[in-house]
Every structure is written in structure tokens, then in C-alpha cells.
Amino acid sequence: MLASGRKGLLVLCTCFVILSSFMVPSDGSSSSTEDLNQSHNKTGHPLQLTPKAAFQLKLHALFHWSSFGFLMPVGILLVRMSSKSKSGRCVRVLFYCHVISQIAAVLLATSGAALSLMHFENSFSNTHQRVGLTLYAFMWLQPIIGFFRPERGAKVRSLWFFVHWLLGIAVCATGIANVYTGLRTYHERTTKSVSVWTGLLTVEVSFLAFFYLLIDRWSYMIKQGHLPVEQLRPNDNHRTYPTTLRKELAMVQE
């Protein structure tokens, strides 16, 4: 059943990639590229984007922000939450939410890439374009690794988990960094302010990073507030002390 589910997801992703090439507007793609190229003045003057080119550029940014800046980090949070949950049903729900969010992230990023290749000038002369090209390759490698994960108990399961975890974190972090470089490149070429968008992205990423760290310590924090009273101070019948206090008393007696 699990294997058939994986095959179904793989077929769904393949179909979406094929359809995405038709869904992205292609009418006037050459003229959009010409708009960007003609707007790029070699004398150093800022770009003057046509309304259509500006819309396509904003759509490209929205796709990648939603993918790398939101859905991928949320997917990482979901699978981290599942590792802390003790309920089997909750673990399954969180796992499938993780899968759905990551598939949606990959599909959105792929649509953004298709939009860029079809409508924008791609000379790969800046960091944003070069990093983006490398990022797309590793981004698609990650779900393929996830679909073909070994069963629990297999000898290669630990290696698979390490590679899947490391690649996921690397793709997400690099994608977020590339969103920042995209905003900076847009500012350099158009001289338009992007401080508001940069600030919003920073706030969002900071919140997600804080929540990621909080998940790891949440159960520990809860336990700290529910320690038995007899462990907090000694009583007359049973001299029980916290671990740290016992160590201190042992040092004093020595």
C-alpha cells in the first residue's frame, strides 16, 4: 500500500511538471524577454519594466518565496514535530502533511523556474541565476530520495535519513538565501526599494527558526514545570534531592 502511494505521488509530480509548461503563459514570451533586454541600459540607468514584465517578475518571486521561504521550512517543522509525537495517528498525519507541503514547494519552485526560462533573459551572469540553476537540480533530487526511502530496520536506513535530512536543510537554507539575492538583484537593476519585503522575509524566517528550536526543547520545558515537590527539597522521612543538589552535597562531605 505504501509503495503504491509512492508511485501515485511520483506520477502526480511528473504530470504536473508536464502540465506546468502549458499552464505558464507563453504568449508573448519573446516580447517579454525583449522588454527586459531593451530595458537594460548599458549606461547604467535602471531598468524600466513594462507592466507585463513586472507582473511576471513578481509572480516568479512569489512562487519562490512561497516555496523556499515558507512551504519547505514548514515541511521541516512538521517532520520534526512528528519525531517528538508519541501518538501513532498524529505521526502519520504530520508525515503526510510534510509530504504534501514539500511536493507543493517543489511544484511551485518548478513553475517559477519555467516562468524564468520562458520569459526572462537568462545569461547566468549573476549569483542569483547561477545558484538558482544548481538549486533546481538538488531540489528535485530531494523528493526522489524521499520516495525511495528504505523500510525501517534496513541497514541503509540510517545513511538514507542522514542524506535526506542534510540535503533538505541545505536546499531550504540555500533557497532562502537565493530569495534574498533575488531581492537585492531586483533593487540593483530597478533601484526600487525592497527593504519592506526583505524585512518581512527576515521576520518570517526568524520565527520559523525559533519554532524549530522550540520544538526540540518543548517537552523538556514542560517537564521542568511538573517536577514532584519531594524532589525539590528534602523531607524528614526520605532524604531525596535533585541530582544537582546531591552532587553538591557529595562534594561538601568530601
Side-chain angles (χ1 to χ4, degrees), residues 18-30:
I18 296 174
L19 291 174
S20 63
S21 60
F22 298 99
M23 293 173 61
V24 178
S26 58
D27 294 337
S29 59
S30 59

Side-chain angles (χ1 to χ4, degrees), residues 82-124:
S82 68
S83 66
K84 302 296 180 180
S85 177
K86 297 180 180 179
S87 171
R89 184 174 182 273
C90 183
V91 169
R92 287 192 297 271
V93 170
L94 290 173
F95 171 74
Y96 284 114
C97 289
H98 162 78
V99 172
I100 292 172
S101 65
Q102 298 304 80
I103 290 176
V106 170
L107 297 181
L108 275 176
T110 302
S111 298
L115 185 66
S116 174
L117 292 173
M118 295 174 65
H119 295 281
F120 304 153
E121 179 270 327
N122 294 282
S123 61
F124 300 102

Side-chain angles (χ1 to χ4, degrees), residues 5-216:
R6 294 178 190 174
K7 291 179 181 179
L9 289 174
L10 189 59
V11 171
L12 179 63
C13 293
T14 305
C15 293
F16 184 89
V17 173
I18 296 174
L19 291 174
S20 63
S21 60
F22 298 99
M23 293 173 61
V24 178
S26 58
D27 294 337
S29 59
S30 59
S31 62
S32 298
T33 304
E34 291 176 359
D35 290 339
L36 291 175
N37 291 336
Q38 291 174 0
S39 300
H40 184 57
N41 194 322
K42 294 182 179 180
T43 61
H45 293 293
L47 286 170
Q48 299 295 328
L49 298 177
T50 63
K52 183 177 181 179
F55 171 76
Q56 292 170 345
L57 194 59
K58 291 176 182 178
L59 192 61
H60 169 80
L62 177 63
F63 282 165
H64 284 79
W65 184 323
S66 302
S67 174
F68 297 111
F70 181 72
L71 288 174
M72 283 191 184
V74 167
I76 293 174
L77 291 176
L78 289 171
V79 78
R80 190 169 182 84
M81 290 170 62
S82 68
S83 66
K84 302 296 180 180
S85 177
K86 297 180 180 179
S87 171
R89 184 174 182 273
C90 183
V91 169
R92 287 192 297 271
V93 170
L94 290 173
F95 171 74
Y96 284 114
C97 289
H98 162 78
V99 172
I100 292 172
S101 65
Q102 298 304 80
I103 290 176
V106 170
L107 297 181
L108 275 176
T110 302
S111 298
L115 185 66
S116 174
L117 292 173
M118 295 174 65
H119 295 281
F120 304 153
E121 179 270 327
N122 294 282
S123 61
F124 300 102
S125 58
N126 58 63
T127 302
H128 178 70
Q129 291 179 338
R130 290 193 292 266
V131 171
L133 182 63
T134 306
L135 195 60
Y136 294 140
F138 285 100
M139 177 191 68
W140 266 104
L141 180 62
Q142 176 70 347
I144 293 175
I145 294 175
F147 285 137
F148 295 100
R149 68 186 184 279
E151 298 295 335
R152 286 189 179 274
K155 293 182 179 180
V156 296
R157 174 78 179 200
S158 298
L159 177 61
W160 170 87
F161 180 85
F162 175 76
V163 172
H164 186 62
W165 169 80
L166 183 63
L167 186 59
I169 294 293
V171 168
C172 182
T174 306
I176 292 173
N178 208 37
V179 174
Y180 277 109
T181 60
L183 290 172
R184 184 185 64 187
T185 302
Y186 177 78
H187 169 70
E188 291 175 351
R189 291 192 175 186
T190 64
T191 69
K192 294 182 179 181
S193 176
V194 294
S195 56
V196 174
W197 298 110
T198 303
L200 288 175
L201 180 60
T202 301
V203 170
E204 178 192 333
V205 171
S206 300
F207 173 77
L208 293 173
F210 171 77
F211 193 64
Y212 179 86
L213 297 174
L214 182 63
I215 293 173
D216 187 51

